[in-house]
Structure formats: structure tokens, C-alpha cells
Amino acid sequence: MAVTTTPPPRGAAPRPSSDAGDTAAAAARAASTGRLAGRVFGALSTGAGLLILVTLAAVAVFLVLRAWPALTASREELEAISWFNGGSVAEYVGPLIFGTLLASVLALLLAVPVSIGIALFISHYAPRRLAQGLGYLIDLLAAIPSVVYGLWGALWLIGRLDPVFAWLSSNLGFVPLFADYQAPAKNIMSASVVLAVMILPIITAVSREVFLQTPRLHEEASLALGATRWEMVRQAVLPFGRSGVISASMLGLGRALGETMAVLMVISPGFLFSFFLLKPGQQQTIAANIASKFPEASGLSVSALIATGLALFVITFVVNFAARWVIARRAEFSGAN
């Protein structure tokens, strides 16, 4: 028996097949799910960014509130603290800021050239196997605890650097830093060497990754024009990675500014600054000074130490802000050209 079908009315749209309908529905559901996932991810990202800002503001408010009693205390109240030197918090924290910046800048001057050289060797000169092994070795330096670095610097490094300090004192004694063989050259320079080794892995790792991102066409174009390997690095790799090197240096500087235990163990309290800017006994960095004084502090002395921490917070913020400004300016200059 034949089965007849009724044709659709004239002018009516053809009925879509069931497979096409299922495909369209699945696509609509996938698009809806993708939009929902995108909104959720955007909300989480925005929340994470706001959380960082709120945390930063909370830390700043905490430091200001806890340091306020010391900032508003009288000279007599501050002088009652046994270890307090100076008639105000500004007089006390000023030499500590100087010592912190001096040790950190010296460490940066020692670490940055070495880090750039190691990064260039790993990224453009070393064979593949050697580059991988050396990269792992450099990264492992970041996993060593700061206490180990402090013990290494205090028990081994200082004695090995005695000939260097003696030569600096005899030949560069006209510089205040090297005028006295024992202080401040011996303690500050030793701490700077230890800090340089500690920040070396950070600067090297970031610089290496930036150098590896150099466009291959830029390198090949430089070599095709007859440049040597070093000329190619100077013309293509270093200009491309300049902003990355600045960022890496600022990360290392932040680590050096906040380092505590290694500096505390290397800078012996027995050695004192002989700078005309500093008074006897004010030879520590801010972080090391807080670590050495805080266990016995109470009352107003705690507020005084937190005031020095507030100064370190401001220094770190200014350093990072300046680094971001330099990078942004360089990016605008590169884009304009």
C-alpha cells in the first residue's frame, strides 16, 4: 500500500531537518556558555586586581596608624628608648634609608652586568644542553634560603674579600666608602656582594626570557647585513629587551631593599659607619634593623620601628612606580618611532 505525503502549502518556508536544529541549538548553548564563562573570568580578574589595591591600601593604613604615636611623640619620649639615636623619627630613619639604598644600589651595580651576560650566553651563545643545565642551575640559586646566604657571607666571604678591602682602602681612601678598612667598606661591601648573588637569579631569569622573545627576523636581518654575533646582539637583542632588563633590575632591587636575615648576619653590629652623614651605631639597613630590634621592642619603640617600615614601604613603592614610568615612556618612544 503506497504512502502519500501532503506537500507543504505554497509559499511556506521549508521545515528544517532535525539534525540542523540540533546543531543550531548546540551552537547557541555553547555561545551562551562561552559568554557566561567570559563574564565570570572578567569578574574574577577584576576582583583580583581590586583585591591587590585594597591590600596595598590596607598595608599603608596599618603602617601609618601604628607609626603615628612615634611620628607625633616628643623628643623626650623618643630619647627614653634605649637604642634610639636622634631627636626625631626622621633623624633616626634617615641614616637607615641611606644604608638601605647604599647596600641595594651596590648590589644592583654588581648583579646587573653579570646577569645580562649570563642571560645572553644562555639565550644566544651556549649550546642547547649547556644552556638548559646552566638555566636550571641559575634558577636553583633562588631556592636557597636567605639564612644560608647570610652564613656563607659572614663565615666565608668576608675573610676571602679582605685583600680586596685592603686594596680599596689603600688606593681609594679618598672616597668616604673606602676611607676606613674596617668600616664601612668591609660590612657594606660584603652585604652588597651577598645581595648581588641573591638577586642574580631573578634578573637573569627575566632577562633570559626577554632575550629569547627577540623577533627571529630582526636577528637574521642583522646577520644578513654582515653583522657579527655580538653586533647582532647589540643591534637587535639588547634594544628589544631593554624594557625587560629594566623590569628585571627593579624586581631585583625590590628583593635587595627588603632582604633581612642575610644583611643582618653579614653586617656585624661591632662595625660602625664612619660617614660624616651617619652617627655611630646607625649602620644597618631598615629591614635588618627591624629584625634585630623588634624582639625586645614594646610600646613606643614598636611604633618607631613600624615608622621605619613605613619609610621602606614608601621607598619600594616609589622605586616600582619609577620603573613602570620608565618602561611606559620607552614603550611610547618605541611606538612613535
Side-chain angles (χ1 to χ4, degrees), residues 16-32:
S17 62
S18 59
D19 293 341
D22 294 343
T23 303
R29 287 194 298 270
S32 177

Side-chain angles (χ1 to χ4, degrees), residues 135-162:
Y136 295 148
L137 182 62
I138 294 297
D139 293 338
L140 283 175
L141 289 176
I144 300 176
S146 59
V147 176
V148 176
Y149 280 112
L151 290 172
W152 168 70
L155 301 179
W156 186 87
L157 181 64
I158 292 181
R160 301 302 186 277
L161 292 179
D162 273 343

Side-chain angles (χ1 to χ4, degrees), residues 186-274:
K186 191 168 185 175
N187 48 6
I188 286 295
M189 289 296 291
S190 300
S192 300
V193 173
V194 174
L195 287 176
V197 176
M198 295 180 69
I199 66 178
L200 188 73
I202 302 174
I203 304 176
T204 301
V206 177
S207 301
R208 177 189 63 201
E209 296 302 322
V210 172
F211 293 155
L212 288 174
Q213 299 301 319
T214 305
R216 189 68 179 176
L217 290 177
H218 292 185
E219 298 179 2
E220 293 177 351
S222 180
L223 294 173
L225 292 174
T228 62
R229 180 70 64 87
W230 162 242
E231 290 173 340
M232 180 272 293
V233 168
R234 189 180 59 187
Q235 296 171 1
V237 179
L238 291 180
F240 177 82
R242 188 176 291 116
S243 60
V245 172
I246 295 175
S247 300
S249 302
M250 293 303 103
L251 287 174
L253 180 59
R255 170 75 187 277
L257 288 172
E259 182 52 46
T260 304
M261 291 309 300
V263 177
L264 179 61
M265 298 173 72
V266 172
I267 298 182
S268 172
F271 295 123
L272 306 177
F273 269 129
S274 61

Side-chain angles (χ1 to χ4, degrees), residues 47-66:
L50 292 176
L51 180 62
I52 293 174
L53 295 178
V54 170
T55 304
L56 189 65
V59 171
V61 171
F62 166 80
L63 291 175
V64 171
L65 291 179
R66 294 299 302 271

Side-chain angles (χ1 to χ4, degrees), residues 90-107:
E91 293 181 13
Y92 177 74
V93 76
L96 294 175
I97 293 175
F98 180 80
T100 301
L101 294 177
L102 177 62
S104 301
V105 170
L106 289 176

